[in-house]
Amino acid sequence: MESEKDNLNNALVQKSRPLFSLWKEKEKINLFEYKMLDMYLSRINSHDPNNRTVSFSMDDMSEIISSHITKAEMLERLKKLQGIVVSYGDDAAVTLFEYSKIHIDDKHFEVELMCTQTAHKFFFNIERIGYFKYKFRNYICIKTRFFYCLFIFNFFFFNINCFK
C-alpha cells in the first residue's frame, strides 16, 4: 500500500488555463492557497464531475506549508481560499470553492473541500479549454509566493506547448 507521503509526491496537477492565470493576481492569493488549490487539483479525477469533494489530512497540509497548522489557522485559510474568484471573458467571474469543513479526530484533523458547480468547467473535462500538468512534488519545497509564481511562469514559458 502506498503511503500518504508517496501519494503526495507522485500526485499530478492538471491546471486549466483560467486557473493558470491566477498567478497574475497580485496579493490576492498567498502561497498556501496556491498549494491548496494544486492539492485539490491533484486529488480530483478531472473526468468524474460527480466527485467535486476532496479530503486532505493534517499531515498533507503540514507538508505543503512545512510547518504545523492549528485548527483556527486552518479555518481562516479556508475562508480565504473560498473567496478566490477566477475571471473569464470580459464580464464574467466565478468563485472556485463553495464548501469546506474540518473533521476532528483526536489530535488530527482532515479538511474537506468542494468546488462550486459554476467553477465546475475549470476543474473537470478541461481538455476543451486547455490545461497543463506537472508533478506536485516539483515545487512542494517552495517557501514564497514569488517563487511559486516564478515556477508557474517558467514552467509555462519553457513548456509553451504544454497546453493540451
Side-chain angles (χ1 to χ4, degrees):
M1 183 174 167
E2 202 172 21
S3 74
E4 285 287 323
K5 188 171 184 171
D6 289 340
N7 202 8
L8 191 58
N9 281 330
N10 293 322
L12 189 63
V13 176
Q14 294 180 332
K15 189 176 280 184
S16 66
R17 285 180 188 244
L19 296 180
F20 169 76
S21 68
L22 285 172
W23 73 270
K24 299 174 192 174
E25 299 291 328
K26 295 180 180 170
E27 300 177 18
K28 291 183 181 177
I29 303 170
N30 65 31
L31 182 61
F32 177 82
E33 290 145 5
Y34 282 124
K35 287 185 174 184
M36 284 292 293
L37 174 61
D38 282 357
M39 187 181 289
Y40 180 86
L41 292 169
S42 73
R43 298 274 171 99
I44 62 167
N45 176 351
S46 66
H47 296 284
D48 185 4
N50 295 321
N51 291 319
R52 297 184 296 146
T53 305
V54 170
S55 296
F56 313 105
S57 71
M58 173 62 181
D59 293 336
D60 288 343
M61 276 169 286
S62 294
E63 185 173 349
I64 68 168
I65 61 172
S66 302
S67 66
H68 182 73
I69 187 168
T70 67
K71 178 186 171 191
E73 291 170 325
M74 190 66 207
L75 282 170
E76 280 305 308
R77 291 175 181 226
L78 285 172
K79 286 178 189 175
K80 191 163 184 234
L81 184 67
Q82 283 183 250
I84 294 176
V85 174
V86 173
S87 299
Y88 64 100
D90 292 335
D91 55 355
V94 64
T95 303
L96 293 181
F97 296 102
E98 72 179 64
Y99 173 81
S100 66
K101 183 175 182 178
I102 298 178
H103 301 277
I104 301 171
D105 180 11
D106 296 328
K107 294 180 180 179
H108 296 86
F109 62 84
E110 186 173 280
V111 173
E112 203 173 290
L113 191 60
M114 180 174 54
C115 74
T116 65
Q117 188 64 40
T118 323
H120 191 269
K121 62 184 161 199
F122 301 135
F123 294 106
F124 299 97
N125 298 313
I126 55 180
E127 291 82 10
R128 47 195 161 122
I129 60 173
Y131 70 98
F132 70 101
K133 57 186 174 182
Y134 53 91
K135 294 238 181 198
F136 191 77
R137 73 169 178 242
N138 287 347
Y139 77 89
I140 202 164
C141 62
I142 291 176
K143 304 264 190 257
T144 68
R145 179 189 177 280
F146 172 78
F147 284 117
Y148 174 82
C149 291
L150 191 60
F151 165 80
I152 293 297
F153 181 77
N154 282 332
F155 184 85
F156 174 71
F157 183 73
F158 290 113
N159 296 288
I160 199 70
N161 295 322
C162 62
F163 281 109
K164 305 289 184 192

